[in-house]
Amino acid sequence: MAAAQGHFSDHSDGDRGTDETAGSTETNPVPPAFRRAVEALRAARLRPEIEVDPTRPPQRLAPYAYAVEAAVVDGEDDLADGRLVLLHDPAGHEAWKGTFRLVTLVRAELEPEMAADPLLPEVCWSWLTGALEARGLAYGEASGTVTMAGSHYFGGLAERRPATQIEIRASWTPREGPNGVPDTGAHLAAWCDLLCQIAGLPPASAEPGAAGTATGGGVVSLPQRRGPQQV
């Protein structure tokens, strides 16, 4: 199983270490709730097909942010990839209806027969909400878009098959626990379930002792695909 890795960041443009918020001081420390939420992300146990790396989070969406990028890997091929950002505003945010927010981008290349399904955008959105609900996660204020874009190749690239990429952009407010901290590790695992699903992998079976492991019940995935994405 893979463990998530990453670093803290706030609005500062500095890059300092892995254990402190960039630009934080003794008079402006990282909020304990945010620190615990990030620690839970780092400790999450994920499917072995997932490769997770730290990435620089957006700088002006919230006072505190943490981000990871991930890819579903088969040999040397990336079947799907994405980014998950954890935002935190200790004062609360009216649009979030909470102090934490998760923001994501997921994308994958589709086979032509799958891209022709007119219901695919609705199905992909249901995969996101279904991945959260399959792990028993409470959330609110979910919103987002599902976009399909096609590419046709000409000239020196004419031998390439037409390609269609699907992209999910979404955000939701994770329900905070009694200590004011959401179960961010389980939300990361659910997000990785979505990433694997859009990559066409079969659902993972439950692993004894692994926190936040989905049973795979009620999950419908795309047919399994092989081949790198075209950039």
Side-chain angles (χ1 to χ4, degrees):
M1 304 289 282
Q5 300 291 328
H7 65 280
F8 291 102
S9 178
D10 66 358
H11 293 175
S12 170
D13 291 329
D15 291 318
R16 300 184 185 177
T18 59
D19 295 326
E20 295 297 332
T21 301
S24 66
T25 66
E26 292 183 1
T27 60
N28 184 31
V30 177
F34 180 67
R35 184 178 295 279
R36 289 195 294 269
V38 171
E39 289 172 350
L41 283 175
R42 289 173 171 168
R45 296 176 60 81
L46 310 174
R47 288 181 60 163
E49 300 93 341
I50 295 284
E51 291 188 357
V52 182
D53 292 301
T55 188
R56 187 176 181 84
Q59 300 297 296
R60 294 178 175 84
L61 295 181
Y64 301 92
Y66 174 90
V68 296
E69 58 186 6
V72 180
V73 178
D74 176 58
E76 297 183 356
D77 297 337
D78 287 358
L79 303 182
D81 60 71
R83 179 176 65 168
L84 184 69
V85 181
L86 174 68
L87 304 175
H88 179 54
D89 186 341
H93 195 292
E94 183 178 357
W96 302 352
K97 292 184 169 49
T99 62
F100 286 91
R101 187 76 171 172
L102 286 161
V103 181
T104 185
L105 164 67
V106 173
R107 58 194 175 192
E109 188 174 306
L110 303 178
E111 295 293 342
E113 59 271 19
M114 292 182 284
D117 184 350
L119 297 179
L120 188 59
E122 288 82 359
V123 171
C124 287
W125 181 257
S126 73
W127 288 345
L128 169 62
T129 58
L132 296 169
E133 292 162 6
R135 291 182 178 269
L137 294 171
Y139 65 95
E141 308 307 312
S143 62
T145 62
V146 178
T147 304
M148 296 173 60
S151 298
H152 295 264
Y153 300 95
F154 301 93
L157 301 176
E159 294 184 356
R160 293 188 182 183
R161 295 170 49 189
T164 300
Q165 186 179 78
I166 194 159
E167 180 181 276
I168 302 173
R169 293 179 180 268
S171 62
W172 66 95
T173 299
R175 180 72 56 82
E176 298 172 14
N179 60 353
V181 181
D183 189 351
T184 51
H187 280 270
L188 173 60
W191 177 73
C192 287
D193 292 341
L194 168 67
L195 202 62
C196 288
Q197 194 166 8
I198 200 172
L201 299 187
S205 58
E207 181 174 321
T213 302
T215 62
V219 174
V220 179
S221 59
L222 290 170
Q224 196 163 3
R225 302 187 299 281
R226 290 294 181 267
Q229 299 185 48
Q230 301 293 340
V231 178

